[in-house]
Amino acid sequence: MLTNQQALLMKEDFSTRTDLPKWLIDEYKTFHNIVTDKTFPCHFGMGGELKGELRYGYITQDDWSNLPKTLEGFLDLFQNPKHKRHGLFVFVEPFKVEDDLEQYRKQFWDILQYLHKVDPIAWPENAPRDPEQHLWDFHFHGEPIFVFANAPAYKQRKTRHLGNSMVLGFQPRKIFQGLEGTEKGGIMSRDKVRERVEAWDELPKHPDISHFGDPHHNEWKQFFIGDDIEPIKGKCPFNHKSM
């Protein structure tokens, strides 16, 4: 059984560890090549990958037990201020046959529901439990985390297509301190990234993209956006567990 730190991977592990599955090695190489392309619009992701600041994890279709350990190990990093800008990317073993976007969306929310189910630490008392509340955020081990999906079924939003795996990005809210959507620096940096993303995708910003705290915005809709410019409709798939 892997420990938290064995489950949490670093860049060099993909070339030195012999216990990692071949599909994961292949998908990491694809991920690396995409995000380090000089035209890739997210400079934060590019810089993090080039500097070795990103961390990684993986789950198979049959076993998700690596994920809580990976996320726990990642959150432990934030006890050290020098890691405050790190991000975590988790590779999901590819389906045998690529499916449509809705199947990846379903699996994405199933994975978050699983994480919530096995989380031994109670959801903070002051944190909303209803995803329809505009200040709702996903929590694990008491930490608010922005989670976003990338999947092979994205065909128009090319920035969300990072290989044959669905890739989940985990960013603790601590990363955004000083870069919030209400702060001048945060507004400027986000606007610049979004302009580059629109140019790369050749598609306008998705209408559900906003900033945390916007009273007219539901954060959960930003976790897995559409491959179009249509607002997401319906109820959030996530359900808060009864204690």
Side-chain angles (χ1 to χ4, degrees):
M1 184 176 292
L2 296 178
T3 65
N4 291 359
Q5 291 308 315
Q6 286 174 322
L8 184 67
L9 303 175
M10 297 177 66
K11 186 177 180 179
E12 53 266 31
D13 288 327
F14 293 100
S15 57
T16 60
R17 280 180 53 169
T18 59
D19 60 326
L20 301 180
K22 182 180 184 301
W23 70 260
L24 176 64
I25 304 294
D26 292 342
E27 292 305 318
Y28 169 72
K29 288 177 181 176
T30 300
F31 171 90
H32 173 83
N33 290 338
I34 292 172
V35 301
T36 58
D37 185 301
K38 63 181 180 180
T39 65
F40 190 68
C42 182
H43 292 178
F44 296 111
M46 182 191 301
E49 174 65 11
L50 290 172
K51 295 174 186 175
E53 292 177 345
L54 302 184
R55 295 294 183 270
Y56 316 89
Y58 74 96
I59 57 176
T60 67
Q61 290 294 329
D62 300 325
D63 185 2
W64 297 353
S65 61
N66 264 356
L67 186 52
K69 299 170 190 174
T70 302
L71 197 45
E72 288 169 23
F74 179 65
L75 292 174
D76 285 345
L77 284 180
F78 285 78
Q79 302 303 315
N80 186 333
K82 77 175 185 178
H83 296 307
K84 69 178 183 176
R85 296 294 187 215
H86 284 35
L88 169 67
F89 289 88
V90 174
F91 297 86
V92 181
E93 182 183 18
F95 292 145
K96 290 182 179 178
V97 178
E98 182 183 313
D99 217 322
D100 61 29
L101 197 65
E102 288 311 306
Q103 290 306 307
Y104 291 100
R105 188 191 304 274
K106 180 183 183 304
Q107 187 177 55
F108 171 84
W109 286 106
D110 285 347
I111 290 169
L112 290 197
Q113 196 71 53
Y114 165 78
L115 272 175
H116 180 52
K117 179 182 178 181
V118 302
D119 189 354
I121 296 180
W123 201 273
E125 283 294 326
N126 61 345
R129 285 153 171 71
D130 181 3
E132 301 308 316
Q133 215 276 3
H134 74 280
L135 290 177
W136 178 88
D137 209 354
F138 181 74
H139 286 73
F140 184 78
H141 266 230
E143 287 289 335
I145 304 172
F146 176 64
V147 192
F148 62 98
N150 307 274
Y154 281 105
K155 303 304 180 187
Q156 298 190 88
R157 297 192 178 278
K158 296 183 286 292
T159 47
R160 297 282 178 145
H161 185 133
L162 300 178
N164 296 316
S165 282
M166 179 163 68
V167 183
L168 279 59
F170 291 83
Q171 297 177 315
R173 287 289 167 193
K174 292 178 181 178
I175 287 179
F176 303 113
Q177 289 177 356
L179 296 174
E180 293 89 348
T182 53
E183 298 292 328
K184 184 178 180 181
I187 293 170
M188 291 177 63
S189 62
R190 286 166 190 250
D191 284 349
K192 287 178 181 177
V193 170
R194 287 170 182 170
E195 284 176 11
R196 293 193 294 266
V197 167
E198 287 185 22
W200 222 59
D201 288 347
E202 299 179 328
L203 200 66
K205 180 187 77 172
H206 193 277
D208 288 314
I209 295 288
S210 183
H211 65 268
F212 183 71
D214 179 349
H216 305 293
H217 166 69
N218 289 122
E219 187 70 2
W220 69 267
K221 293 181 179 180
Q222 198 164 257
F223 282 22
F224 199 121
I225 61 173
D227 195 27
D228 49 31
I229 53 173
E230 297 299 320
I232 294 171
K233 298 176 181 178
K235 185 177 181 293
C236 179
F238 181 85
N239 293 297
H240 191 85
K241 65 183 177 183
S242 56
M243 300 302 289

